[in-house]
Amino acid sequence: MSRSSKDLRAARAKEHGMEPQSISLDVLAEKYAKSEERTATDIHARVARALAAVEANPAERETEFLQTLQAGFVPAGRIMSAAGTDIRATLINCFVQPVGDSVSDDVDGKPGIYKALAQAAETMRRGGGVGYDFSRIRPAGSMVGSTHSHASGPLSFMQVFNASCETVESAGSRRGAQMGVLRIDHPDVEAFVHAKDKGDFKNFNLSVGVSDAFMQAVERDLVWELVHKARPSDAQIGAGAHQRQDGLWVYRSIPARTLWDQIMRSTYDHAEPGILFLDTANRENNLYYCETFEATNPCAEEFLPDYGCCCLGSLDLTRFVQQPFTAKARFDFVAFVAVARSAVRMLDNVLDVTYWPLPEQHAEARNKRRVGLGFLGLGDACIMLGLRYDAEPARTFAAEMGRHLRDAAYAASVELAREKGAFPLFDAEKYLASAFVKRLPESLREAIAKGGLRNSHLLAVAPTGTISLAFADNASNGIEPAFSWAYTRKKRMSDNTLREYEVADHAWRLWRDLGGDVSALPPAFVTALEMSAQDHMRMLSAVQPFIDTSISKTVNVPEDYPFGNFKDLYLEAWKAGLKGLATYRPNSVLGAVLQATPSEASSSLTPQPADTDPLTRRIEGRPAGDLQAVTAKVSYMTAEGRKTVYLSISFAEVEGLVDGRPVRIERPIEFFMPAGQRDEGQQWIASNMRLLSLVARSGGSVAKSLQNMREVVWDKGPVRCGEVIKADGSRVPRFHQSEVAAIAYALQEMLRRRGFLREDGREQPIAVLAQRSPAPDGLRIDLEHPGAAPDLLASGRICPDCGGPFLRRVDGCDRCDNCGYIGSCG
């Protein structure tokens, strides 16, 4: 049965007196609705039933949970998409997983690098993102005693994790998300800071783990030592590396302010790395007595120990605003608290019904029962209450909301402990001595001392881009203010045409539908770029004291924001006791990730001079219109038996000049292996197809790339693929040096039959290519006016909607600069 947006629009109930937006219906249908599900209520019913199944009175709890969902509780995307289905996917959004310093062996309780890689791949395959601390990996150039060789350093191994993430498609057809952390005292930290200068590590968010000692060194303009326990090489020792009394090796020293300025400049230029204040986070940790934080999940809303999990859900604050935009507007704290208490029970049940990718994750969750209840729509709720996000009254409201949320969550967990037992690692005396728990009301502390607590941690504020779209009518993301009021989204349809429709902010749309004049918005309507960076941070400071883990917050600043003011933000954040911070400024490396009016932004770009050679001219993005393609069934024999795959190549017409005269040739621009056949043994093929596509679009030589692939050798024996026709007309099998070489041969044959390559595998001369019949206008690419591409710097990942390389990460969510697609968050 089809689940079209039109059908969903007809079936879904009105919210806040408004018809649901097309964007909400599309995301609901594409990401969350299963089989016969047609409305948000259908999805709510499935989730409520699944989470109530572990209760002693499931029918009664199912009714309660359904009411909680319909009243404004929005569980995280993994829960909404997979709970109650037969998909063997985790309901947990993200994890932190350890990485040791050995390639293969476990050391000091940490898995070897390739064991950690396998664990990460399994986690991402089941739908979870992963954060890692790579600081244990020895620095580049240091000694590896067992092999008498030199280490390649953490960044080299991060490339392996990056490639794995690119290749492994996680459950629910979303790419895995990763966070890479390196400590500020690691000898390779400068290389880590600059790791994304040229757009590398696209499948990582990066953050530097900063200590109080380093921040104090920055303040005092002291020299900072870069250290590791691994022995440096003789050359490094000769250059000054030496061992301290504590046993650590000092590889070199650098002025703390010099290192800090490098980090700030990199963040200013391309939004990474972020900053994690590790000492602050560990001081505030409820379980300081049995765990240490070294990393966060990919969006940094939770500091987690090894194998710790993010079991997330959010309360839609806009649902609790009564009489919005009026003098009588108020927030219903009574209803808010009631929904929060029930939501805690639901998240606690998630830990019992979810599939766990790794036994270590299950054990960690069972011992601590950590959950993360947060909120979404703060920016819009403030507007509806008549409060400017960047003013003190809004911060006062946010703090009061945070206090109610904290107290309701902890009270609910106390009740659950009485009913189901406290988390196994609960130690009343030590727990009550933690910094955060000391701030709880005395009545709650007494209740915890008496009966314990079901969950070690209860609160986290995550990015909520996708679930906000699907279940909250595009209410503002998490703690963020609205970025813009309305924009046009372009979506590629199944017939390859583009459809455009409005995507409007919830509060703005409600104001308009209630008769408000959108050309004369009240003062409370303020967007992210219309306020100072300090006011962004002040909101974070107002709420953080009431959140026991952390908050994912991006401070958006305009492109012309002074660097001197920018770098001071992070120092102020540390002094304010924040646990971390991320900023985003439109820049030359990433461009403007979000644009309020994409079409206007596109027209303001200055086109780059184009090469006249139609074979080598760069193609920006995937062209609009239809593309001709060829698909071939490729079979080959290896020592392991016969393998069969389907490979496709798309072509488009490209115009150019040869000897001053215009010509038009057909070029391959896209190589891919259709979905559904990427098993664990053939994921490398999909990865190679992506690389070939990049070569083809950039104007590189596809012929040379395929010839290089044919030279790859392996030790598993020859691979049989294709035939050789001898002079007498007889045919004999063609053998290749490896599976990679066999695939390259098959692609060469497809291009040869198409007429693009010669018999020897080289490109045909342009004169020959230009003699072929021209394709219809719809198949040509206008390189002088690439209207489908809003950004000439096409350095993002491939968008699943429009097919262009414009997918980037902002506010914890995948967003496409080209078509407006919003994908996975968290």
Side-chain angles (χ1 to χ4, degrees), residues 433-479:
S434 66
F436 183 87
V437 178
K438 283 182 177 179
R439 296 196 297 269
L440 293 177
E442 192 57 35
S443 59
L444 271 176
R445 288 175 51 82
E446 291 174 358
I448 292 171
K450 182 179 181 180
L453 207 64
R454 179 67 170 168
N455 314 95
S456 68
H457 298 73
L458 286 140
L459 304 158
V461 182
T464 58
T466 311
I467 58 174
S468 287
L469 282 169
F471 299 100
D473 191 47
N474 200 27
S476 52
N477 179 359
I479 196 176

Side-chain angles (χ1 to χ4, degrees), residues 582-597:
T583 52
Y584 188 82
R585 166 187 160 270
N587 57 77
S588 60
V589 177
L590 295 179
V593 176
L594 291 178
Q595 297 173 349
T597 53

Side-chain angles (χ1 to χ4, degrees), residues 381-503:
C382 288
I383 293 171
M384 295 162 67
L385 290 167
L387 306 173
R388 281 183 63 96
Y389 186 96
D390 57 350
E392 188 60 33
R395 294 190 283 270
T396 300
F397 159 71
E400 183 68 3
M401 179 274 298
R403 183 179 67 81
H404 277 80
L405 177 62
R406 177 199 67 183
D407 294 352
Y410 273 78
S413 192
V414 166
E415 292 179 1
L416 283 171
R418 293 195 193 107
E419 177 185 341
K420 299 182 177 183
F423 66 91
L425 293 183
F426 175 73
D427 182 309
E429 181 179 357
K430 294 178 180 178
Y431 191 85
L432 290 168
S434 66
F436 183 87
V437 178
K438 283 182 177 179
R439 296 196 297 269
L440 293 177
E442 192 57 35
S443 59
L444 271 176
R445 288 175 51 82
E446 291 174 358
I448 292 171
K450 182 179 181 180
L453 207 64
R454 179 67 170 168
N455 314 95
S456 68
H457 298 73
L458 286 140
L459 304 158
V461 182
T464 58
T466 311
I467 58 174
S468 287
L469 282 169
F471 299 100
D473 191 47
N474 200 27
S476 52
N477 179 359
I479 196 176
E480 307 290 352
F483 189 86
S484 64
W485 304 129
Y487 66 91
T488 299
R489 181 188 181 192
K490 293 179 290 186
K491 178 178 175 61
R492 187 168 296 279
M493 309 306 290
S494 58
D495 60 358
N496 216 30
T497 61
L498 283 176
R499 173 191 171 198
E500 294 188 357
Y501 50 83
E502 178 189 78
V503 180

